[in-house]
Amino acid sequence: MDKVKVAVLGGSGYTAVELIKLLLRHPGAEIVAITSRQDEHIADLHPSLLGRIDVRCQPFDADALKAKGVQCAFGCLPHGTSMESIPPLLERDIRVVDLSADYRLRDAKVYQEWYKETHHDLKNLAHAVYGLPEVYGDAINGAKLVANPGCYPQTAILGLAPLVAHKLIERSGIVIDSKSGVSGGGRTPKLNFHFPECNESVSAYAVGTHRHTPEIEQALSDVAGAPVSVIFTPHLMPMDRGILSTIYATPTRAVTEPELTELYRSYYADKPFVRVRTAPPATKDTTGTNFLDVCVKVVRGKVLVLAAEDNLVRGASGVAVQNFNRLFGFDERAGLL
Amino acid sequence: MDKVKVAVLGGSGYTAVELIKLLLRHPGAEIVAITSRQDEHIADLHPSLLGRIDVRCQPFDADALKAKGVQCAFGCLPHGTSMESIPPLLERDIRVVDLSADYRLRDAKVYQEWYKETHHDLKNLAHAVYGLPEVYGDAINGAKLVANPGCYPQTAILGLAPLVAHKLIERSGIVIDSKSGVSGGGRTPKLNFHFPECNESVSAYAVGTHRHTPEIEQALSDVAGAPVSVIFTPHLMPMDRGILSTIYATPTRAVTEPELTELYRSYYADKPFVRVRTAPPATKDTTGTNFLDVCVKVVRGKVLVLAAEDNLVRGASGVAVQNFNRLFGFDERAGLL
Amino acid sequence: MDKVKVAVLGGSGYTAVELIKLLLRHPGAEIVAITSRQDEHIADLHPSLLGRIDVRCQPFDADALKAKGVQCAFGCLPHGTSMESIPPLLERDIRVVDLSADYRLRDAKVYQEWYKETHHDLKNLAHAVYGLPEVYGDAINGAKLVANPGCYPQTAILGLAPLVAHKLIERSGIVIDSKSGVSGGGRTPKLNFHFPECNESVSAYAVGTHRHTPEIEQALSDVAGAPVSVIFTPHLMPMDRGILSTIYATPTRAVTEPELTELYRSYYADKPFVRVRTAPPATKDTTGTNFLDVCVKVVRGKVLVLAAEDNLVRGASGVAVQNFNRLFGFDERAGLL
Amino acid sequence: MDKVKVAVLGGSGYTAVELIKLLLRHPGAEIVAITSRQDEHIADLHPSLLGRIDVRCQPFDADALKAKGVQCAFGCLPHGTSMESIPPLLERDIRVVDLSADYRLRDAKVYQEWYKETHHDLKNLAHAVYGLPEVYGDAINGAKLVANPGCYPQTAILGLAPLVAHKLIERSGIVIDSKSGVSGGGRTPKLNFHFPECNESVSAYAVGTHRHTPEIEQALSDVAGAPVSVIFTPHLMPMDRGILSTIYATPTRAVTEPELTELYRSYYADKPFVRVRTAPPATKDTTGTNFLDVCVKVVRGKVLVLAAEDNLVRGASGVAVQNFNRLFGFDERAGLL
């Protein structure tokens, strides 16, 4: 069988290099193009790719990508830029997995409120599918445009979905206290990501204002069939990668740990990348993998969920490949184990 | 004026070496003895002390300490051991600042429940004073035995005291999500503190069972004049030192950030080591100091408090010196700025 | 084609878990047994393996391994223990890739001198092949017993081989200043690998006495056809994995950087895992890969070589798979890209 | 006695904040001004200074500093800028400790060669004193302008001075392999200091071209009374602070470790900040202190020296205070223990 020809849009960042490494191992994908404003060999941008791939970055050009036979494009562009580049690809029947935030929020007003930018591709927004396979499953398979989910939201949504689905917790006042490695902040040098600033330190940021908040709420409301609201607090940790979310919710009835663990096991029984555990996961257990580890506890009448992942793999490029697998009929696990 | 002669009990750990460094800089203290089961020069146990102090460790012996003129002993012993060593010192009129947990919980039954050990010095437990100066103030000054507070509890208690004192939050269901550097786990090698295990990783531990829980509740209940209960979750961070507690509480009436910040400023107006800030603190801002930085936010109807400290200085040895200053009539800040 | 049935001896450490992950991805290997003194599921010893492999550790028993059809055993045992376990496997026609030091030094007296232990398997020592494929090449293919090379030695040997082979540097007084991540020290908790001891710190250790010294010299003397001697100084770095060796040698004639770079390119032309670079490599460029990056410079009349690798992959488990590929006729790169 | 009024020029970087902390503890110094292009309170630039100092940064203006009574200015400006700002201060009889490189190299041609900039303050260059107290001692006391030494050079110079002074090593071919924490690179965000780039990685940089090379050679040649040349290779380590230099030299006659250790002890007998040790120092032993730890070994006919320091204290701001103490007649250790 021929391999699917893929392109990576925006090759200079961390999600791009992670994605390229995953695709190089994928039995059914062939990277035929990488775009970037930097006209360089991709291994000059990322020395770790030396000797593994021989592709020179090219400026974005939908016709050129089509001419190369690209069947699927992975968007690793910043939000705002994504919705400029993606429409011409869709017009040319190139399917897209977009890792930016541009097509995640169904309501363009909510997008504008949180991203301070007007959405100007309502047409494609209307049919984009939120690419969290464990929740949106088969809807992804036939999509033209998949909005790959954010890193934090996956821990929150998968951490809470079984409880919300079974109406076991109150739908408001849910506290999501998340801890992330620095790679989540991207590859552009900034003072708060300067090594001597963030090393040996922990701090909260974007308190009450982080843009992943509405994304978490949209998906959980879908699962609940009713509005869910959360208090989400991200923290910066002195490590490269990994997210741990510690989630606190109020049960609607008396619950026990064994009962909830069983519920999670059942809910995720046929989901190969969610590992339900009884011991609190360390983010390191998931490093370099597409697994999301989840553990549920009952503490003094509250339900406490711990959800861990690698923010670059499961949180971005790994789940993008998982979505690609669904789009093109591969085993969901292809290239990811 | 003669310097106060002090001894450090249990010189081999991290709180001991931090304390020794602080005392060496203190204008009114003279270290005349350090005890340890290891019969070595203190600089052989801690090479950072080379050329700064010339004291050889000696086995614990209350009479020997008395003979050396020790007026104040700092206990850096493990819990359980402390309550063996401290009674003979008190009998010899040596005042004690105990950094262990043995005299922190007024109710010996609560001690037994959480520490799985019978308390066998009820006599001295009865008069011990909990050494959190910003809350217990002058009660410390005349004490014979000060129970130095735990590292986590200080962030929780000082982070919540103004709210609790003014009955602005509900007294149950308070969530305290704490992140700590590894030095908080002590100096004994263990797998979970082995560098390649805890580096580049974050995890929760002792979920629902951490021994600092009753200590936090005891102090906050004192402040409130009514029972307070908390859900406390500690996390291990890949860094040497620093604690950040992110605290979530439910207000009893509508509140605003400016109002609460003002309340905190007023509450801590004459407390030199609490810095009330409007931006979320990084633990690094407090590294090596006795400051505890606190910031209060209102997010979607919840009150959110961020409290940061250096777990070895403010969280242990620094506040021990602050207590020493009160015991012996020094300016509270002596040796700590 | 049937997969080769393999066993991992000594499953609890870091090289074992790395090896297991590589083998799980290998198209031609099937892990049928893992031995350990700990009678546990391998995923309980290494939570990162959860859901990826379902093997319970068993005590070492050569007959039991043979009965399971094991064709190749990977030894991840400590030195000294290896030479106990390996003879019975070889007797049963099980081929062995031994990651310990037991069969690396051809001269048992040298072994005794540096490892302070008598070698008691001289019979197998006599036919063991040192498993550095880029140097010992086809000799490995037919071996019954491969002595997998040490982590540091690979950087030193591959960093110097082209120079030594062409007699371009003096054979004595070569300085090898190596920097390693902490995982190189193994998984047993010790004070010097305790997080708050080695984090935020750099130090040299085993100055003039490290056991990899004779291993480096043996291989370089083979390449040179004459005795080579080195001064080797390892350093402990605050990171999980990665080795960088900075090597200083005295040229035997005037040399230039372009000439030497060309020489290295030519020497390693058909070696897929050595990447010759003109810019100094960062260890991070090699993390998680079997690549060894090398760069040669001329500074003030000295030749300076920089050689970087991942100590757990290239330095141990990756090269073990590379050797396995040679033993069983796979492409040298199988499972490693 | 009145305190000496001091100013800090260029308050936004790491050496400035470290210096300010040291000066705040100094019994004889009073910070009356801090200059910066950023018109902000110094605690807004460095939150760690909150509540410890109440000074607002002002633009550089020599007259304004004179009007405030400044007696000593500490220059924390970049090289090139320093030689603009310092002449007007000297004209106004303000003594200067300059932490930049502008006045370290006596030969303006050498400066031009390595810094690619013409030196345009030859007048003051002529009388500047290189501020390494252990070598240039009393010459510093009466200076108007002290060129504070570089971070790397101090480890190299003090590591080698006893050997060079006693003609015990050959004066050329000396290898200095140095490892530094990231704070040495300054506070301006750059890709190579971006956390996810330099964390978990080690690399050499400026191989053969680092500007500290001529500074090391100038001082060692002074000590030797004859030209000394070195091969100096700096490396970037994933830690905040600390430098370890591993130095390799060829002895001119047979030497032993005890003999050399004794020589070092004698050479540094009255130097309070050099600690001669027999075990290899860890940089962590010196963190936060003005100590420079040195250890000398003999390995296979080479002399090997290990020298460790905190690059921000001993390597910059601490030695600046040591120089200040000499300029103004304080005990050399004032404010530094």
Side-chain angles (χ1 to χ4, degrees):
Chain A
M1 181 178 130
D2 279 355
K3 292 191 174 188
V4 178
K5 292 189 160 121
V6 307
V8 175
L9 314 180
S12 63
Y14 292 133
T15 53
V17 66
E18 198 70 29
L19 180 63
I20 290 167
K21 288 176 186 173
L22 291 170
L23 291 171
L24 286 172
R25 242 182 228 156
H26 196 287
E30 180 192 358
I31 302 171
V32 297
I34 302 173
T35 75
S36 172
R37 283 171 307 179
Q38 291 166 281
D39 175 27
E40 295 193 58
H41 193 286
I42 188 67
D44 288 329
L45 294 180
H46 303 289
S48 63
L49 294 177
L50 264 173
R52 299 163 83 172
I53 178 173
D54 188 18
V55 173
R56 192 176 182 82
C57 296
Q58 56 187 95
F60 176 79
D61 176 335
D63 285 324
L65 295 175
K66 186 68 186 175
K68 286 205 168 175
V70 170
Q71 299 164 267
C72 183
F74 291 91
C76 299
L77 300 163
H79 73 267
T81 308
S82 260
M83 59 177 150
E84 307 287 350
S85 302
I86 286 170
L89 297 173
L90 294 173
E91 282 167 26
R92 284 157 183 81
D93 279 329
I94 296 173
R95 294 169 91 174
V96 177
V97 178
D98 180 29
L99 283 78
S100 89
D102 279 356
Y103 297 93
R104 291 181 195 155
L105 299 172
R106 282 194 296 265
D107 184 339
K109 274 188 221 139
V110 175
Y111 181 86
Q112 172 140 16
E113 179 189 345
W114 289 83
Y115 287 85
K116 312 296 176 204
E117 206 155 334
T118 305
H119 204 295
H120 42 267
D121 184 23
L122 300 181
K123 182 185 141 201
N124 290 312
L125 182 59
H127 65 81
V129 178
Y130 187 69
L132 187 57
E134 288 80 1
V135 171
Y136 294 91
D138 295 346
I140 296 165
N141 302 11
K144 298 295 175 202
L145 170 56
V146 177
N148 211 55
C151 51
Y152 286 121
Q154 294 190 65
T155 58
I157 299 164
L158 297 183
L160 285 164
L163 297 172
V164 160
H166 288 81
K167 306 190 192 314
L168 282 169
I169 55 169
E170 293 183 9
R171 282 182 289 100
S172 70
I174 300 169
V175 167
I176 301 164
D177 190 284
S178 296
K179 297 93 179 160
S180 174
V182 183
S183 63
R187 205 184 180 198
T188 305
K190 292 182 188 163
L191 186 60
N192 46 338
F193 306 139
H194 191 54
F195 188 92
E197 299 288 316
C198 57
N199 185 44
E200 288 292 296
S201 194
V202 172
S203 57
Y205 67 98
V207 176
T209 65
H210 196 282
R211 291 157 166 181
H212 284 172
T213 309
E215 185 180 336
I216 296 167
E217 294 180 338
Q218 173 180 281
L220 287 176
S221 300
D222 283 355
V223 173
V228 171
S229 78
V230 304
I231 287 103
F232 168 55
T233 316
H235 296 76
L236 196 65
M237 301 286 108
M239 60 190 202
D240 277 359
R241 52 169 83 191
I243 287 180
L244 177 70
S245 288
T246 312
I247 305 171
Y248 303 85
T250 305
T252 50
R253 62 162 175 82
V255 290
T256 68
E257 261 174 44
E259 169 197 1
L260 294 183
T261 300
E262 192 43 49
L263 173 76
Y264 274 65
R265 293 226 156 105
S266 157
Y267 193 87
Y268 291 121
D270 58 347
K271 305 292 185 286
F273 291 116
V274 178
R275 301 190 293 199
V276 178
R277 302 173 57 177
T278 53
T283 58
K284 200 166 212 168
D285 301 339
T286 66
T287 303
T289 81
N290 199 49
F291 290 111
L292 190 145
D293 286 9
V294 66
C295 166
V296 59
K297 295 278 180 187
V298 177
V299 177
R300 297 179 152 213
K302 287 264 184 192
V303 178
L304 199 157
V305 183
L306 297 152
E309 66 171 19
D310 181 320
N311 60 302
L312 291 180
V313 184
R314 172 70 216 202
S317 304
V319 75
V321 171
Q322 197 180 345
N323 283 318
F324 167 81
N325 287 338
R326 286 182 164 270
L327 292 186
F328 290 87
F330 295 104
D331 182 304
E332 189 165 3
R333 295 162 299 181
L336 290 170
L337 285 183
Chain B
M1 181 180 132
D2 280 355
K3 292 191 173 188
V4 177
K5 292 190 159 118
V6 306
V8 175
L9 314 180
S12 63
Y14 293 134
T15 52
V17 65
E18 198 70 29
L19 180 63
I20 290 167
K21 288 175 185 173
L22 291 170
L23 291 170
L24 286 172
R25 241 181 229 158
H26 195 287
E30 181 191 358
I31 302 172
V32 297
I34 302 173
T35 75
S36 173
R37 283 172 306 178
Q38 291 166 280
D39 176 27
E40 295 193 56
H41 193 285
I42 188 66
D44 289 329
L45 295 180
H46 304 288
S48 64
L49 294 177
L50 265 173
R52 299 164 83 174
I53 177 174
D54 189 19
V55 173
R56 192 177 183 83
C57 296
Q58 58 187 93
F60 176 80
D61 177 334
D63 284 323
L65 295 175
K66 187 68 185 174
K68 285 205 169 176
V70 171
Q71 298 164 267
C72 182
F74 292 89
C76 298
L77 300 163
H79 75 266
T81 308
S82 261
M83 60 179 150
E84 307 287 348
S85 302
I86 286 171
L89 297 173
L90 294 172
E91 281 168 25
R92 284 158 183 80
D93 278 328
I94 296 173
R95 294 168 92 174
V96 176
V97 178
D98 179 29
L99 283 77
S100 89
D102 280 356
Y103 297 93
R104 292 182 192 155
L105 299 172
R106 282 194 297 265
D107 184 338
K109 273 188 221 141
V110 175
Y111 180 87
Q112 171 139 18
E113 179 188 345
W114 290 84
Y115 287 85
K116 312 296 176 206
E117 207 155 332
T118 305
H119 205 297
H120 41 266
D121 185 22
L122 300 180
K123 182 184 142 202
N124 290 311
L125 182 59
H127 65 81
V129 177
Y130 188 68
L132 186 57
E134 288 80 2
V135 171
Y136 294 89
D138 294 347
I140 296 164
N141 301 12
K144 297 296 176 201
L145 169 57
V146 176
N148 211 55
C151 51
Y152 287 121
Q154 294 189 66
T155 60
I157 299 163
L158 296 183
L160 286 164
L163 297 172
V164 160
H166 287 82
K167 305 191 192 312
L168 282 169
I169 55 169
E170 292 183 8
R171 282 182 290 102
S172 70
I174 300 169
V175 167
I176 301 164
D177 190 283
S178 297
K179 297 93 178 162
S180 173
V182 184
S183 63
R187 204 183 181 198
T188 305
K190 291 181 189 164
L191 186 61
N192 46 339
F193 307 139
H194 191 53
F195 188 93
E197 299 288 315
C198 57
N199 186 45
E200 288 292 295
S201 194
V202 172
S203 58
Y205 68 98
V207 177
T209 64
H210 196 284
R211 291 157 168 181
H212 284 171
T213 308
E215 186 181 336
I216 295 167
E217 293 180 337
Q218 172 181 283
L220 286 176
S221 300
D222 283 355
V223 174
V228 171
S229 77
V230 303
I231 287 103
F232 167 56
T233 316
H235 297 76
L236 197 65
M237 302 284 106
M239 60 190 202
D240 278 358
R241 52 168 85 191
I243 287 179
L244 178 70
S245 288
T246 312
I247 306 171
Y248 303 85
T250 306
T252 48
R253 64 162 174 83
V255 289
T256 69
E257 261 174 45
E259 170 198 1
L260 294 182
T261 301
E262 192 43 49
L263 172 76
Y264 274 65
R265 291 225 157 104
S266 156
Y267 193 87
Y268 290 121
D270 58 346
K271 304 293 186 286
F273 292 116
V274 178
R275 301 191 293 198
V276 179
R277 303 173 57 177
T278 53
T283 57
K284 201 166 210 167
D285 301 338
T286 66
T287 304
T289 80
N290 199 49
F291 290 110
L292 191 145
D293 285 9
V294 67
C295 168
V296 60
K297 296 277 180 191
V298 178
V299 177
R300 298 179 151 212
K302 287 262 184 192
V303 178
L304 200 157
V305 183
L306 297 152
E309 66 169 20
D310 180 320
N311 61 300
L312 290 180
V313 183
R314 173 68 215 203
S317 304
V319 74
V321 171
Q322 196 179 345
N323 283 317
F324 167 80
N325 287 339
R326 286 184 164 268
L327 293 185
F328 290 87
F330 295 105
D331 181 304
E332 189 165 2
R333 296 164 298 183
L336 290 170
L337 286 183
Chain C
M1 181 180 132
D2 279 355
K3 293 190 173 187
V4 178
K5 293 191 158 113
V6 306
V8 175
L9 314 180
S12 62
Y14 293 134
T15 53
V17 65
E18 198 70 28
L19 181 63
I20 290 167
K21 288 176 185 173
L22 291 170
L23 291 170
L24 286 172
R25 245 183 226 155
H26 195 287
E30 181 192 357
I31 301 171
V32 298
I34 302 172
T35 74
S36 173
R37 284 172 306 180
Q38 291 166 279
D39 175 27
E40 293 193 58
H41 194 285
I42 189 66
D44 288 330
L45 294 180
H46 304 288
S48 63
L49 294 177
L50 263 174
R52 299 163 83 174
I53 178 172
D54 188 19
V55 172
R56 191 176 184 84
C57 296
Q58 55 187 96
F60 176 79
D61 176 335
D63 285 324
L65 295 176
K66 186 67 185 175
K68 285 204 169 177
V70 171
Q71 299 164 267
C72 182
F74 292 90
C76 299
L77 299 163
H79 74 267
T81 308
S82 261
M83 59 177 149
E84 307 287 349
S85 304
I86 286 170
L89 297 173
L90 295 172
E91 281 168 26
R92 284 159 183 79
D93 278 328
I94 297 173
R95 294 169 91 175
V96 176
V97 178
D98 179 29
L99 284 77
S100 90
D102 279 355
Y103 298 93
R104 292 181 193 156
L105 299 172
R106 282 193 296 265
D107 185 338
K109 274 187 220 138
V110 175
Y111 180 87
Q112 171 141 18
E113 180 188 344
W114 290 84
Y115 287 84
K116 312 297 176 205
E117 207 155 332
T118 305
H119 204 296
H120 42 266
D121 184 23
L122 299 181
K123 181 183 142 205
N124 290 312
L125 182 59
H127 66 81
V129 178
Y130 187 69
L132 187 58
E134 288 81 2
V135 171
Y136 294 90
D138 294 347
I140 296 164
N141 301 10
K144 297 294 176 205
L145 170 56
V146 176
N148 211 55
C151 51
Y152 287 121
Q154 295 190 66
T155 60
I157 299 164
L158 296 182
L160 285 163
L163 297 173
V164 160
H166 288 81
K167 306 191 193 311
L168 282 170
I169 56 168
E170 293 183 9
R171 283 182 290 99
S172 70
I174 300 169
V175 167
I176 301 163
D177 190 283
S178 297
K179 297 93 178 158
S180 174
V182 183
S183 63
R187 204 182 182 200
T188 306
K190 292 181 189 166
L191 187 60
N192 46 340
F193 307 139
H194 191 53
F195 187 93
E197 298 289 314
C198 56
N199 185 45
E200 288 291 296
S201 194
V202 172
S203 58
Y205 67 98
V207 176
T209 64
H210 196 282
R211 291 158 166 178
H212 284 172
T213 308
E215 185 180 335
I216 295 168
E217 293 180 338
Q218 171 180 283
L220 287 176
S221 300
D222 284 354
V223 174
V228 171
S229 78
V230 303
I231 287 102
F232 167 57
T233 317
H235 297 76
L236 196 65
M237 301 286 109
M239 59 191 202
D240 277 359
R241 49 169 86 190
I243 287 180
L244 177 71
S245 287
T246 311
I247 305 172
Y248 303 84
T250 306
T252 49
R253 63 163 174 83
V255 288
T256 68
E257 261 173 43
E259 169 197 2
L260 294 183
T261 300
E262 193 41 51
L263 173 75
Y264 273 65
R265 290 227 158 105
S266 156
Y267 193 88
Y268 290 120
D270 58 345
K271 305 292 186 286
F273 292 116
V274 179
R275 300 190 294 198
V276 179
R277 303 173 57 176
T278 53
T283 57
K284 200 166 209 167
D285 301 339
T286 66
T287 303
T289 81
N290 199 49
F291 291 111
L292 190 144
D293 285 10
V294 67
C295 167
V296 60
K297 296 276 181 190
V298 177
V299 177
R300 299 179 152 213
K302 288 264 184 191
V303 178
L304 200 156
V305 183
L306 297 153
E309 67 171 19
D310 181 320
N311 61 301
L312 290 180
V313 183
R314 173 70 216 202
S317 304
V319 75
V321 170
Q322 197 180 345
N323 283 318
F324 167 81
N325 287 338
R326 286 182 163 271
L327 292 186
F328 289 88
F330 296 104
D331 182 303
E332 190 165 3
R333 296 163 298 184
L336 290 170
L337 286 182
Chain D
M1 180 180 131
D2 278 356
K3 292 189 173 188
V4 178
K5 292 190 159 116
V6 306
V8 175
L9 313 180
S12 63
Y14 293 134
T15 53
V17 65
E18 197 71 29
L19 181 62
I20 290 167
K21 287 175 186 174
L22 291 170
L23 290 170
L24 286 173
R25 242 181 227 158
H26 195 288
E30 181 191 357
I31 301 171
V32 297
I34 302 173
T35 76
S36 173
R37 285 172 306 180
Q38 291 167 278
D39 176 26
E40 294 192 57
H41 193 285
I42 189 65
D44 288 330
L45 294 179
H46 304 288
S48 64
L49 293 177
L50 264 173
R52 299 163 84 172
I53 177 173
D54 188 18
V55 173
R56 191 176 183 84
C57 296
Q58 57 186 94
F60 177 79
D61 177 335
D63 284 326
L65 295 175
K66 186 68 186 176
K68 284 205 168 175
V70 171
Q71 299 164 268
C72 182
F74 292 90
C76 298
L77 300 163
H79 74 267
T81 308
S82 261
M83 59 178 150
E84 308 287 349
S85 302
I86 286 171
L89 297 173
L90 294 172
E91 281 168 26
R92 284 160 183 78
D93 279 330
I94 296 174
R95 295 169 91 175
V96 176
V97 178
D98 179 28
L99 283 76
S100 90
D102 280 356
Y103 297 93
R104 292 181 194 156
L105 299 172
R106 282 193 297 265
D107 185 338
K109 275 188 220 139
V110 175
Y111 180 87
Q112 172 140 18
E113 179 188 344
W114 290 83
Y115 287 85
K116 312 298 175 204
E117 206 155 334
T118 306
H119 205 295
H120 42 268
D121 184 23
L122 300 180
K123 182 184 141 201
N124 290 313
L125 181 59
H127 66 80
V129 177
Y130 187 69
L132 187 57
E134 288 81 2
V135 172
Y136 295 90
D138 294 347
I140 295 163
N141 302 10
K144 297 295 177 203
L145 170 56
V146 176
N148 210 55
C151 51
Y152 286 121
Q154 295 189 66
T155 60
I157 300 164
L158 296 183
L160 285 164
L163 297 172
V164 160
H166 287 82
K167 305 189 192 312
L168 282 170
I169 55 169
E170 293 182 10
R171 282 183 290 101
S172 70
I174 300 169
V175 167
I176 301 164
D177 190 283
S178 297
K179 296 94 178 159
S180 174
V182 183
S183 63
R187 205 184 181 196
T188 306
K190 292 180 188 166
L191 186 60
N192 47 339
F193 307 140
H194 190 54
F195 187 93
E197 299 288 316
C198 56
N199 186 44
E200 287 292 297
S201 195
V202 172
S203 58
Y205 68 97
V207 176
T209 64
H210 196 281
R211 291 159 166 178
H212 284 171
T213 308
E215 185 180 336
I216 295 168
E217 293 181 338
Q218 173 180 282
L220 286 176
S221 300
D222 283 354
V223 174
V228 171
S229 78
V230 304
I231 288 102
F232 167 55
T233 315
H235 296 75
L236 196 65
M237 300 287 108
M239 59 191 203
D240 277 358
R241 51 169 85 190
I243 286 179
L244 178 71
S245 288
T246 313
I247 305 172
Y248 303 85
T250 306
T252 49
R253 63 162 175 83
V255 289
T256 67
E257 260 173 44
E259 170 196 2
L260 295 182
T261 300
E262 191 43 49
L263 173 76
Y264 274 65
R265 292 227 156 104
S266 155
Y267 193 87
Y268 290 121
D270 58 346
K271 304 294 186 285
F273 291 116
V274 179
R275 300 190 294 197
V276 179
R277 302 172 57 177
T278 53
T283 57
K284 200 166 212 169
D285 300 339
T286 66
T287 303
T289 80
N290 199 48
F291 291 111
L292 191 144
D293 286 8
V294 66
C295 167
V296 60
K297 295 276 180 190
V298 178
V299 177
R300 298 178 151 213
K302 288 263 183 193
V303 177
L304 200 157
V305 183
L306 297 153
E309 66 171 20
D310 180 320
N311 61 303
L312 290 180
V313 183
R314 174 68 215 202
S317 304
V319 75
V321 170
Q322 197 180 345
N323 283 317
F324 167 80
N325 287 338
R326 284 182 166 270
L327 292 185
F328 290 87
F330 295 105
D331 182 303
E332 190 166 3
R333 295 164 298 184
L336 291 170
L337 287 182

